[in-house]
Amino acid sequence: MMFFTIVIALPIGVMSAIYLEEYARDGKLKSFIQINVSNLAAVPSIIYGLLGLQVFVRWMELGRSVLAGSLTMALLILPIIVVATQEALRAVPPSIRDASYGVGATRWETIRYHVLPYALPGILTGNILAASRAIGESAPLITIGALTYVPFTPSGPLDRFTVLPIQIFNWVSRPQQDFQGVAAAGIIVLLVVLLLMNSVAIFLRQKLQRRF
């Protein structure tokens, strides 16, 4: 589910931020979009679950599938990616753009070959941290009907599914003592994955910053 979430949210979020920051003209429409993107980043996750239930599960008839869950989580982290990418683009010194324009580069060439490489550490960090938030969320997935127990391995994006946070909750709620140890092991696995993702974000940021 996280693979599809990142594949969907990352390109849409980065392209939206590039348009808002580099191409959109200043005006009421841009201000309206910017304010709403910032507000959406603070909306409770359960709201995205209700939206995903209505749009992806019912209207688009995807059912309670991996793809419906991925699209719902993509909506959840999309505003975070947009805001983080915009901040990374704003951190690029204006002199880099001016120097590129001065040698005859077009706006897209300037963005592609100069602005994006300079902003890449911040963009990657924002995307990984957004994914770190998504991997621990369970409320939106419970809303769209993710299972608490799956006795099979999903073989495609339209199969039913569960995720580790929901599975941990299921184990913790059981009275048998054996499930408490399994739940603790699941929590450790989830924490290790989160720490690894945050470590990758720090490593990529430091490595790419040395290039500039």
Side-chain angles (χ1 to χ4, degrees), residues 13-93:
V14 172
M15 288 189 292
S16 300
I18 291 174
Y19 173 77
L20 288 173
E21 198 62 30
E22 302 291 340
Y23 287 97
R25 296 180 180 179
D26 293 332
K28 293 183 179 180
L29 180 59
K30 180 180 177 180
S31 299
F32 176 78
I33 295 174
Q34 193 68 59
I35 291 171
N36 280 277
V37 168
S38 301
N39 288 337
L40 286 173
V43 170
S45 59
I46 190 68
I47 304 300
Y48 290 99
L50 295 171
L51 179 62
L53 176 64
Q54 185 63 38
V55 175
F56 303 127
V57 176
R58 295 176 179 171
W59 287 355
M60 297 179 64
E61 298 183 351
L62 294 176
R64 291 165 166 74
S65 62
V66 175
L67 186 57
S70 299
L71 289 169
T72 302
M73 299 307 290
L75 288 179
L76 173 66
I77 67 175
L78 193 58
I80 303 173
I81 294 175
V82 172
V83 172
T85 303
Q86 282 189 282
E87 292 298 327
L89 294 173
R90 289 171 188 163
V92 178

Side-chain angles (χ1 to χ4, degrees), residues 85-142:
T85 303
Q86 282 189 282
E87 292 298 327
L89 294 173
R90 289 171 188 163
V92 178
S95 57
I96 292 180
R97 294 182 177 85
D98 296 338
S100 179
Y101 293 141
V103 296
T106 63
R107 177 176 291 185
W108 172 240
E109 289 173 339
T110 299
I111 295 170
R112 180 180 178 183
Y113 295 108
H114 301 284
V115 176
L116 280 179
Y118 193 96
L120 193 58
I123 293 174
L124 288 176
T125 302
N127 279 272
I128 294 175
L129 293 178
S132 297
R133 179 191 176 186
I135 202 172
E137 287 286 351
S138 59
L141 302 176
I142 293 174

